Amino acid sequence: MLQMPDDRENGQMPAAVINRADYVAPAYWIDTVDLCFDLDPAKTRVLNRMKLRRNPDVPAQPLKLDGEELNLARVLVNGQGTSFRMEGSRLVLDNLPDDFELEIFTTTCPAKNTKLMGLYVSNDSFFTQCEAEGFRRITYFLDRPDVMASYSVTLRADKALYPVLLSNGNLVEQGMLEDGTNGPRHFARWVDPHKKPSYLFALVAGQLVSREQRITSRAGKEHTLQVYVRPGDLDKTEHAMNSLMHSVAWDEARFGLPLDLERFMIVATSDFNMGAMENKGLNIFNTKYVLANQATATDTDYSNIESVVGHEYFHHWTGNRITCRDWFQLSLKEGLTVFRDQEFSQDLCGEASARAVKRIEDVRVLRTAQFPEDAGPMAHPVRPDSYIEISNFYTVTIYEKGAEVVRMMQTLVGRKGFASGMTLYFERHDGSAVTCDDFAQAIADANPGSDLSRLLPQFKRWYSQAGTPRVHAQGVYDAAARTYTLTLAQSCAPTAGQPVKEPFVIPVGLGLLGADGADLPLQLAHEAAAAGTSRTVVLTQASETLTFVNVDAEPVPSILRGFTAPVVLEFDYTDAQLLHLLAHDSDPFNRWEAGQRLAVRRAIKSIAAVAYPVDAAPLDDAYVAAMRSVLHHPGLDAAFKELVLTLPSEIYLAEQLDVVDPQRIHAVREAMRQQLAVALAGDWQQVYETNQDTGAYIPDPASSGRRALAGMALSQLCLAAMTTGDTVWPGKTLQRFKDAGNMTDRFNALSALVSSGHPLAAQALTKFHAMFKDEALVIDKWFGLQASAPDRGGNILPAVRQLMKHPDFSLRNPNRARSVISTYCQANPAAFHRTDAAGYVFWSDRVMELDAINPQVAARLARALDRWSKLAEPYRSAAREAIARVAAKTDLSKDTLEVVTRALAD
Ligand code: PHE
Ligand code: ZN
């Protein structure tokens, strides 16, 4: 049985564990689904008429349909009343013919749907969210991705309140109905020509307006692209539409995958649990990833919109045309689609340096979010073996590590080989529901003789083994033999249920730098001649040795260039070697990485020192001088400089330590920031002045980079002013805040005042709120900025409590709740981890409160204490107690229960 009856809603049974190994094909197939909705916020009536047939490949058995929070009115088999029974919340029918029509009539109450799964109301419009298991909240169904059916949908609603009626596929008919009690009613009928799993079903109804674009594909076909938003937001849809057009062109150019739908729609809603959803032909987006204009959105927003629009569009092929057999295969679509959206964004960058910046940003996400996940209580393989609530597995491991696994495949077969692999994947599996194995097999089979095809079974350990591998490297130079020997040893710490890990296939990008900073030609001992200056070696053993010959002097190794594998690289670099790499490495990723290593090393030294309070000057002259020369380097982009000058985050630093004192980490990092601010004050001024854009606002990588670096400079100048007493720069910052021509500059100026703790921050915050009081996404930023401000003497928690009393605050809107609560608990460690445990008490109250409203949002917040067992006392015990307090609540959702139960088991 794939699922157990779930009676937890009634507080009885322990939550069932679903195991990958228990997969069995469905007992019935559903060929067609005809849905008719009478939309009403208080009571929506759903008539579901399906054609089913028994699956001859599995033993005859009753039909068990998933359902959740539905009111069942009628069940007919072939037009006749029939007996049925309930098993938990499932509808069970016995003694069915082999082929039959099933008609089910149910009602639901979308207005009361605060979970935002299934059919719900947001700002008086209807939206649906069905992935992963939301369709069962709309009607009884075999709500699993391997059941693919043809859908036709009729929507009926009040015409004045819901003028726009959308569903998947093509609009085939629309017209008026008899008047209802509130006035004229109308209908629309949609037919989706493609079969799809239920999780890709969608409908939207409401007062919406759209930006429309007609495009002609390379094949000469016409398509209509639409972006639907609330009236008043149309001026914020241009960038999303441009991103969509770029996405269509890119997928066709890079992978030969055309748009095959006549009509492709994006609809934005401000109430959404996640970022966006790839429903067939009708993507539904969180407004955060659609709406942008220069007055309200930052450069980061612009680039996120581009990625997310691309991501959802790319799902059309990787996810929708080929979907997942079961939810354990989630990374089949998500890892691959993240990889595709990362490549898309890189390809749009054009310039190599901008591509590198994007790569560094992606790796930073992986290392600050996925590595901790892989080392904590929620660690799971890219293809998990079990879960209680699938919603909990929309994780950075499935998404970002999954993308790295796909990237390694591309590295092993080459870019062209990977594209052929994709072609074979579609030849074999288009229109079906498959597994991660099927994907890897296709890429390997299209590349016979490649390292991937040779090593496929071992490579697939990336799918089955959790945890982040460590590669320990050691180099020995032999002057007499003129050889440089590099030993690379891999290991991976145990994770729950996986005490011993087998070696992974690890592609490692490598180069050697000479004393002048140039790359040396590379020649291994068994090679006849040197070939190239950078190459990828493929590790398969626990330990391997590479001997480079004809090396005239001890080189500096540049290892894991481009971050070719999601591993931790350990190499005992000297400071001089790191400074050399920072100054010269031809690989931008490792050049940046060298700077990070220098900073991490200094931070850790100060954190570990006995001195209390922390050393006011953790940085030495060499480091400061290196940062200064990066700032003034004529050959480096502003965006790259900003990345180098950004110190490793507190979360990243915490992961480098066995025992974590968040207060001390914060104090040390702040001391470092302060020191850079003062020591480089003159440099920051110059940087600020030379990175001003005066022309029209363009969110391209080059100008975004300049704005980012100028923003950093301002922030540093305000910070320096706090110790020097300078009033000029804070004043300039306030002025910049007032007359900025775009949100990026305005928000950077505001952040500079807030993060330095300058008294001018208060008036700027007030003004900002007044300016943007009607812009929900900007107000989210306003809340978030205050919740993430550096803690000074425990001031943030009271401020957060105050923010929750603000009239604009709402616990029900996920974006708003996250802007205050998740920002505080997950992005402001020193404010959250308080010695008086008040942060944890706040957290447990909010988790429990949110759990009753929206379990998915609650369960994500619950993960804020994932790493509790690494904390120093008194944090550790207090954190555990707070988790136990949540776990003890009797009517907890299985979402939150799974997270806290796993945390306590850590
Ligand atoms: N499938 C969506 C995406 O990645 C994410 C999502 C999952 C959205 C579950 C809503 C619910 O593209
Ligand atoms: Zn996705």
Side-chain angles (χ1 to χ4, degrees):
M1 219 192 321
L2 190 67
Q3 282 152 313
M4 297 273 292
D6 176 23
D7 276 346
R8 261 200 62 79
E9 314 279 312
N10 314 324
Q12 306 304 335
M13 262 187 232
V17 176
I18 320 286
N19 293 302
R20 184 168 61 86
D22 295 343
Y23 174 83
V24 283
Y28 292 84
W29 298 112
I30 302 178
D31 292 318
T32 64
V33 187
D34 186 66
L35 296 168
C36 181
F37 289 84
D38 266 302
L39 294 166
D40 182 319
K43 187 176 182 181
T44 288
R45 290 133 48 99
V46 184
L47 180 62
N48 171 5
R49 283 184 301 210
M50 300 176 269
K51 287 203 173 110
L52 288 90
R53 96 193 118 85
R54 201 171 85 71
N55 178 359
D57 302 339
V58 301
Q61 54 192 289
L63 171 66
K64 299 187 177 186
L65 298 172
D66 306 295
E68 204 180 284
E69 293 180 32
L70 296 172
N71 306 305
L72 177 59
R74 188 171 78 222
V75 184
L76 302 178
V77 172
N78 290 331
Q80 304 291 310
T82 183
S83 64
F84 59 85
R85 58 195 165 89
M86 302 303 294
E87 235 180 61
S89 61
R90 296 170 128 196
L91 171 64
V92 183
L93 295 164
D94 302 275
N95 306 319
L96 290 163
D98 280 356
D99 279 272
F100 57 99
E101 281 186 30
L102 179 59
E103 180 173 320
I104 300 175
F105 185 66
T106 52
T107 65
T108 67
C109 176
K112 291 213 179 109
N113 183 356
T114 59
K115 296 181 180 171
L116 310 184
M117 284 296 279
L119 178 65
Y120 64 93
V121 175
S122 159
N123 289 309
D124 302 321
S125 293
F126 291 95
F127 295 91
T128 54
Q129 173 52 46
C130 293
E131 187 178 6
E133 297 179 335
F135 193 70
R136 65 187 61 184
R137 296 167 59 78
I138 296 176
T139 186
Y140 284 99
F141 206 75
L142 289 173
D143 193 12
R144 42 187 287 170
D146 55 354
V147 172
M148 296 172 81
S150 297
Y151 287 67
S152 52
V153 179
T154 305
L155 303 174
R156 297 145 57 106
D158 183 295
K159 171 141 183 154
L161 293 173
Y162 310 105
V164 173
L165 302 173
L166 308 174
S167 190
N168 318 85
N170 300 313
L171 180 62
V172 296
E173 200 186 343
Q174 58 185 330
M176 296 306 294
L177 296 164
E178 268 174 43
D179 283 6
T181 40
N182 302 318
R185 286 170 61 78
H186 68 152
F187 77 96
R189 184 166 169 77
W190 292 81
V191 175
D192 189 343
H194 300 268
K195 285 193 158 219
K196 65 169 172 285
S198 52
Y199 82 90
L200 291 174
F201 167 81
L203 77 78
V204 172
Q207 282 178 3
L208 300 164
V209 290
S210 73
R211 171 186 289 266
E212 199 165 310
Q213 180 79 46
R214 313 273 278 162
I215 57 163
T216 310
S217 71
R218 284 193 179 183
K221 279 207 186 158
E222 292 256 335
H223 310 268
T224 302
L225 308 179
Q226 292 174 311
V227 179
Y228 284 88
V229 295
R230 292 170 71 194
D233 282 335
L234 218 45
D235 64 333
K236 302 193 193 80
T237 53
E238 188 186 354
H239 180 62
M241 182 59 88
N242 286 339
S243 302
L244 181 56
M245 290 193 293
H246 285 139
S247 307
V248 175
W250 181 85
D251 217 8
E252 202 161 10
R254 171 101 182 242
F255 288 112
L257 299 173
L259 174 57
D260 62 356
L261 304 171
E262 286 166 39
R263 180 170 177 149
F264 187 91
M265 298 170 276
I266 287 179
V267 189
T269 170
S270 49
D271 292 282
F272 203 73
N273 286 345
M274 310 278 272
M277 179 63 212
E278 70 263 24
N279 314 302
K280 192 92 181 182
L282 180 56
N283 289 355
I284 297 181
F285 273 58
N286 190 323
T287 42
K288 186 174 161 59
Y289 297 111
V290 175
L291 302 181
N293 64 30
Q294 71 183 74
T296 60
T298 61
D299 293 336
T300 307
D301 295 326
Y302 274 83
S303 95
N304 289 340
I305 289 168
E306 182 182 279
S307 301
V308 178
V309 167
H311 181 98
E312 306 311 330
Y313 176 76
F314 303 142
H315 268 314
H316 179 63
W317 283 94
T318 51
N320 302 4
R321 293 203 42 154
I322 303 186
T323 194
C324 303
R325 187 194 69 173
D326 55 70
W327 291 119
F328 296 101
Q329 319 298 328
L330 183 56
S331 199
L332 171 78
K333 73 178 180 80
E334 295 305 347
L336 175 55
T337 305
V338 170
F339 168 76
R340 277 153 54 69
D341 84 55
Q342 290 177 347
E343 291 287 285
F344 165 63
S345 297
Q346 282 201 16
D347 287 353
L348 283 194
C349 286
E351 299 259 333
S353 56
R355 297 178 70 96
V357 163
K358 168 69 176 151
R359 179 68 183 140
I360 291 167
E361 289 168 349
D362 291 341
V363 173
R364 214 162 49 170
V365 170
L366 185 83
R367 296 203 301 203
T368 52
Q370 199 278 325
F371 282 18
E373 179 166 276
D374 235 349
M378 281 293 289
H380 55 276
V382 168
R383 183 191 55 212
D385 293 314
S386 70
Y387 60 78
I388 289 175
E389 170 52 62
I390 186 58
S391 299
N392 285 331
F393 287 82
Y394 287 77
T395 59
V396 275
T397 298
I398 301 295
Y399 278 67
E400 268 70 24
K401 186 176 180 179
E404 293 300 321
V405 172
V406 175
R407 184 174 295 283
M408 287 188 285
M409 291 193 211
Q410 177 173 261
T411 302
L412 294 175
V413 301
R415 223 168 129 118
K416 265 180 79 183
F418 185 78
S420 330
M422 289 284 280
T423 304
L424 183 59
Y425 176 57
F426 288 105
E427 269 169 35
R428 283 184 181 170
H429 303 296
D430 192 12
S432 48
V434 306
T435 64
C436 298
D437 287 325
D438 295 322
F439 175 73
Q441 195 67 52
I443 305 297
D445 288 352
N447 293 279
S450 65
D451 284 336
L452 182 66
S453 111
R454 190 169 56 84
L455 300 166
L456 189 61
Q458 185 183 355
F459 182 84
K460 288 201 297 186
R461 288 176 190 160
W462 283 110
Y463 283 105
S464 58
Q465 297 188 138
T468 306
R470 305 181 88 83
V471 172
H472 185 81
Q474 268 178 308
V476 176
Y477 180 65
D478 182 334
R482 294 172 60 238
T483 60
Y484 185 70
T485 305
L486 205 53
T487 305
L488 299 158
Q490 58 163 305
S491 62
C492 182
T495 51
Q498 296 185 334
V500 179
K501 313 276 181 176
E502 302 295 329
F504 290 86
V505 174
I506 304 180
V508 178
L510 267 182
L512 300 177
L513 272 70
D516 60 354
D519 280 329
L520 302 178
L522 301 179
Q523 182 181 359
L524 287 167
H526 61 272
E527 294 169 344
T533 56
S534 197
R535 60 169 74 182
T536 305
V537 298
V538 180
L539 306 184
T540 58
Q541 309 294 311
S543 176
E544 288 172 49
T545 299
L546 304 168
T547 303
F548 293 96
V549 297
N550 293 327
V551 185
D552 289 332
E554 176 161 10
V556 179
S558 173
I559 313 172
L560 204 65
R561 281 186 160 174
F563 200 73
T564 40
V567 302
V568 174
L569 171 71
E570 301 168 340
F571 184 89
D572 201 5
Y573 284 112
T574 63
D575 269 7
Q577 288 177 316
L578 289 172
L579 290 164
H580 193 66
L581 291 171
L582 175 61
H584 304 291
D585 201 326
S586 63
D587 178 65
F589 178 84
N590 268 0
R591 193 165 185 181
W592 168 78
E593 177 75 331
Q596 295 293 297
R597 285 177 190 270
L598 286 164
V600 166
R601 179 173 293 183
R602 281 149 182 78
I604 288 180
K605 194 171 152 215
S606 265
I607 291 164
V610 283
Y612 196 90
V614 299
D615 185 353
L619 303 174
D620 52 302
D621 293 347
Y623 179 84
V624 174
M627 291 299 124
R628 178 177 290 121
S629 50
V630 168
L631 274 183
H632 296 292
H633 199 295
L636 296 172
D637 292 352
F640 183 80
K641 293 178 181 181
E642 197 267 343
L643 290 176
V644 175
L645 271 290
T646 300
L647 294 166
S649 68
E650 289 172 30
I651 294 171
Y652 185 73
L653 290 172
E655 284 304 310
Q656 316 307 310
L657 300 162
D658 293 328
V659 179
V660 172
D661 177 346
Q663 295 298 332
R664 193 158 175 100
I665 294 176
H666 176 69
V668 167
R669 189 175 183 279
E670 285 302 288
M672 289 164 75
R673 246 168 36 94
Q674 181 77 40
Q675 200 187 342
L676 283 177
V678 175
L680 299 175
D683 310 274
W684 288 123
Q685 293 188 20
Q686 200 185 326
V687 162
Y688 180 71
E689 270 139 21
T690 53
N691 284 281
Q692 299 300 319
D693 263 338
T694 44
Y697 172 81
I698 317 171
D700 66 343
S703 15
S704 307
R706 284 194 292 276
R707 279 186 289 271
L709 187 59
M712 174 181 238
L714 219 43
S715 188
Q716 288 278 277
L717 290 161
C718 287
L719 196 59
M722 297 303 286
T723 44
T724 60
D726 164 47
T727 55
V728 174
W729 280 99
K732 277 196 184 186
T733 306
L734 184 64
Q735 200 52 43
R736 151 60 48 123
F737 162 75
K738 288 180 183 162
D739 50 44
N742 58 71
M743 179 52 87
T744 308
D745 286 339
R746 192 185 306 281
F747 196 71
N748 282 345
L750 179 64
S751 310
L753 293 171
V754 171
S755 74
S756 62
H758 198 279
L760 289 175
Q763 74 176 81
L765 280 166
T766 306
K767 185 164 167 65
F768 189 80
H769 185 274
M771 287 174 81
F772 297 104
K773 58 182 188 315
D774 299 323
E775 298 288 351
L777 295 170
V778 183
I779 297 301
D780 289 338
K781 294 183 199 302
W782 181 81
F783 277 109
L785 180 63
Q786 297 174 74
S788 64
D791 194 69
R792 293 190 167 80
N795 64 330
I796 300 297
L797 180 57
V800 162
R801 290 191 185 281
Q802 211 51 45
L803 288 172
M804 287 186 60
K805 293 193 190 126
H806 193 282
D808 291 345
F809 183 77
S810 155
L811 213 50
R812 281 192 149 58
N813 175 257
N815 287 0
R816 192 56 52 83
R818 285 186 286 244
S819 73
V820 178
I821 302 168
S822 311
T823 303
Y824 169 69
C825 298
Q826 290 172 307
N828 199 345
F832 176 55
H833 299 276
R834 297 166 55 108
T835 47
D836 66 2
Y840 304 153
V841 174
F842 173 84
W843 167 86
S844 59
D845 287 342
R846 299 294 84 76
V847 170
M848 292 188 284
E849 202 172 0
L850 276 166
D851 193 57
I853 299 170
N854 186 328
Q856 285 186 21
V857 173
R860 266 180 204 262
L861 176 64
R863 302 214 32 205
L865 280 177
D866 265 11
R867 303 296 273 143
W868 69 273
S869 67
K870 273 184 85 146
L871 293 168
E873 293 297 353
Y875 309 105
R876 189 177 192 276
S877 305
R880 189 176 203 288
E881 204 175 299
I883 302 168
R885 182 168 173 245
V886 174
K889 189 161 186 282
T890 48
D891 56 351
L892 223 46
S893 68
K894 56 181 181 169
D895 307 55
T896 300
L897 187 71
E898 181 171 36
V899 170
V900 292
T901 309
R902 286 177 70 138
L904 289 176
D906 201 26

